[in-house]
Amino acid sequence: MFGPDNVRRRWRPDEITVTRPDVTKRAIGAAAIGNITEWYDFGVYGYLAVVIEGIFLPKDSGPIGHVIVAGLFAVAFLVRPLGGLFFGPLADKIGRNRVLAMTMILMASGTFLNGVLPDYATVGLWAPFLLLGCRLLQGFSTGGEYSNAMTFIAEYAPDRRRGFLGSLLEVGTFSGYVLGALFATIVQTASTPEFLAAWGWRIPFFIALPLGFVGVYLRTKLADTPAYKEMEKLAEQDEADHRAKGEFKNIFRLWPNLLACCGLVLAWNVTNYMLTSFIPLYFPMVADIQGSGGVSELTSQILQILVMACCLALIPLIGRLSDKVGRKAVVRAGSISLIVLSFPSLWLIRGHNDIVVFLGLLILGLSLICFSATMPSTLPSLFPTMVRAGALAIAFNVSISLFGGTTSVVMTSLINATGFLMWPAIYLIAAGVIGLIAIHFVPESNRRPLWGSTPSAASEEEAEEHAEELNSQVEPA
């Protein structure tokens, strides 16, 4: 594992970058709005999956229709690595905020276009292919969105509060998902079947466009990160050296870091998409295979929204905890939770009582937020500033495409083929094991400067304290 060497030197207080809290808050808001838009789409799509199947596929598609709808969700992830390869290195060249404005426009446009597509009854097989095109556009833009948003917040955040401030990016994730799920549930509940099939399902997708306008406005009004501007100054002094360091070959020289990043992203996002995209499909499968029992579709949707709201409230607390006890301790707790509690969680989710099902979902949600609250501050620390956005985008999107976004289609296919309802627990345990192995090789980044950047603080007074703290960790020559 490669690691930073700037933790081995002594720092003067005047060498530490001071970023005002009001600027940091604006940076977090600008980054989080994109996450809200991205996960708003996931929430809407997940909760309208059954409706979308009836709109874009023949009425008699049967079990294969479930797999196709899950596949249309997963296909967006197949092009995420391409988006990461394009937008990640671009952010290292032209700046984080410019790329985030581009991805915001593309992402919101793709979600909005979902709502204006013609249905199967109008254009036949063109309908699912048009939906596929929109999903590909969303996937390509998302490939440059989240990893750059992580980089953006991590480079703005003071070293001592990076865990807490980074966790606020995931507040955007959960807020977007809850918002999308809530809108989709309200539309389904308030609409007649005829209105829902004609226009009702389109309404939640239309809301993405104004969200996109707000996001672009916030991002274009904010300067780039202090770490990036510092890198630009160094690049002006030695432009040739800057170009060499930005090449892809220098990213892949960091292959141990890329592997560790992929492992952590796998553990995080298998859990994430299991809860957010597969579980809504799991409830009707449980009822079909068990022959009876389980909670109703509406009840399951409400319970999941409640669980996500609980996670939303707890994420900043876990992020703040990681600033005190370290990122590695929290990630280990999440990995062990997946290994030990996945089977109990699934047994509870298959229950007949609302409270029992809620507890099963909550266990899975609590395991998830151990990753969600720490990854936005942990993953950017694995790479130096010169290639941070590019390396993080590549590793993050390759892992999420292969393992995270395919969770629904893999689980749906396995359960349909075997009738065994505990496949999700086995998958989650495997993810927990990989997360535990990956975090073992990652250096602790808590209260330390990012690789290739000067230390950062929120005030002059904090800069003096931070310099003293960092210098106390340096071994005497």
Side-chain angles (χ1 to χ4, degrees):
M1 175 65 65
F2 298 104
D5 57 7
N6 56 353
V7 296
R8 301 189 184 96
R9 58 157 289 186
R10 301 183 68 84
W11 295 94
R12 299 191 313 272
D14 61 347
E15 293 178 302
I16 293 180
T17 301
V18 176
T19 304
R20 298 196 321 270
D22 60 319
V23 176
T24 303
K25 289 178 182 177
R26 293 205 309 273
I28 292 168
I33 190 69
N35 232 25
I36 291 172
T37 304
E38 175 186 351
W39 279 89
Y40 172 83
D41 168 69
F42 290 155
V44 169
Y45 190 91
Y47 272 61
L48 290 177
V50 175
V51 178
I52 288 171
E53 181 181 334
I55 297 294
F56 289 94
L57 296 173
K59 300 296 183 184
D60 57 350
S61 57
I64 192 65
H66 300 325
V67 176
I68 291 173
V69 170
L72 284 170
F73 179 86
V75 76
F77 293 87
L78 297 179
V79 295
R80 282 185 69 150
L82 298 178
L85 283 167
F86 178 77
F87 288 114
L90 186 63
D92 287 327
K93 293 178 181 178
I94 68 172
R96 323 305 194 200
N97 59 342
R98 292 180 183 178
V99 168
L100 285 172
M102 295 179 197
T103 57
M104 182 82 257
I105 293 170
L106 291 174
M107 198 162 49
S109 300
T111 303
F112 174 78
L113 288 173
N114 281 333
V116 300
L117 294 178
D119 58 16
Y120 181 85
T122 304
V123 296
L125 286 175
W126 277 105
F129 282 104
L130 290 172
L131 180 60
L132 173 64
C134 289
R135 301 299 298 170
L136 292 174
L137 175 62
Q138 289 172 294
F140 185 75
S141 59
T142 304
E145 168 63 32
Y146 190 78
S147 55
N148 277 317
M150 276 195 289
T151 299
F152 193 73
I153 288 183
E155 291 182 347
Y156 258 109
D159 296 340
R160 290 180 166 190
R161 303 186 69 207
R162 188 169 291 117
F164 169 67
L165 295 174
S167 72
L168 298 181
L169 182 62
E170 280 298 291
V171 170
T173 294
F174 281 73
S175 298
Y177 185 88
V178 169
L179 187 64
L182 195 59
F183 266 110
T185 301
I186 291 172
V187 166
Q188 292 183 82
T189 305
S191 301
T192 63
E194 294 77 17
F195 179 75
L196 182 64
W199 279 101
W201 69 272
R202 301 178 185 272
I203 295 172
F205 289 108
F206 291 158
I207 297 172
L209 203 57
L211 281 176
F213 286 140
V214 173
V216 172
Y217 175 79
L218 290 175
R219 289 176 173 185
T220 54
K221 292 296 181 181
L222 197 67
D224 224 314
T225 67
Y228 184 81
K229 289 190 287 187
E230 179 187 347
M231 183 187 74
E232 280 191 314
K233 290 180 181 177
L234 294 175
E236 290 174 4
Q237 298 170 7
D238 193 349
E239 188 175 350
D241 182 58
H242 170 63
R243 285 199 303 267
K245 288 183 178 180
E247 294 174 357
F248 280 108
K249 66 180 182 181
N250 291 287
I251 291 176
F252 289 102
R253 283 174 182 168
L254 299 169
W255 63 266
N257 304 52
L258 294 169
L259 285 178
C261 182
C262 286
L264 291 173
V265 172
L266 183 154
W268 175 20
N269 281 283
V270 164
T271 312
N272 192 1
Y273 290 102
M274 190 72 75
L275 179 62
T276 57
S277 67
F278 175 69
I279 289 298
L281 302 174
Y282 186 62
F283 285 109
M285 297 178 78
V286 169
D288 290 343
I289 292 173
Q290 290 185 166
S292 63
V295 296
S296 69
E297 183 179 349
L298 178 60
T299 300
S300 69
Q301 290 177 343
I302 293 172
L303 290 177
Q304 195 164 12
I305 290 172
L306 291 174
V307 167
M308 298 298 282
C310 291
C311 292
L312 175 62
L314 290 172
I315 283 175
L317 300 179
I318 303 297
R320 194 182 296 275
L321 178 66
S322 77
D323 284 328
K324 295 181 179 179
V325 304
R327 324 280 188 241
K328 298 185 69 165
V330 177
V331 175
R332 284 194 184 105
S335 299
I336 293 170
S337 175
L338 289 178
I339 295 168
V340 175
L341 298 177
S342 289
F343 268 97
S345 174
L346 262 291
W347 281 322
L348 292 172
I349 289 171
R350 291 171 57 183
H352 302 261
N353 181 278
D354 294 356
I355 295 177
V356 169
V357 174
F358 175 78
L359 289 175
L361 292 171
L362 186 61
I363 290 171
L364 191 54
L366 293 176
S367 302
L368 169 61
I369 61 174
C370 290
F371 297 97
S372 298
T374 54
M375 288 299 105
S377 54
T378 301
L379 299 181
S381 70
L382 293 172
F383 306 105
T385 305
M386 284 288 189
V387 295
R388 181 172 296 125
L392 183 52
I394 291 168
F396 183 88
N397 287 295
V398 166
S399 185
I400 202 173
S401 299
L402 293 176
F403 306 106
T406 58
T407 297
S408 284
V409 70
V410 170
M411 292 297 97
T412 303
S413 301
L414 285 173
I415 292 174
N416 282 336
T418 65
F420 181 57
L421 288 167
M422 299 308 289
W423 275 113
I426 296 172
Y427 213 58
L428 288 167
I429 289 171
V433 171
I434 292 172
L436 204 57
I437 293 171
I439 196 62
H440 175 74
F441 294 99
V442 172
E444 179 59 70
S445 60
N446 182 30
R447 304 175 77 87
R448 296 179 181 176
L450 290 172
W451 187 356
S453 304
T454 58
S456 58
S459 66
E460 301 289 347
E461 294 77 11
E462 184 180 303
E464 293 185 7
E465 295 174 4
H466 193 35
E468 184 177 343
E469 178 186 23
L470 292 172
N471 293 338
S472 69
Q473 300 170 7
V474 178
E475 296 181 1

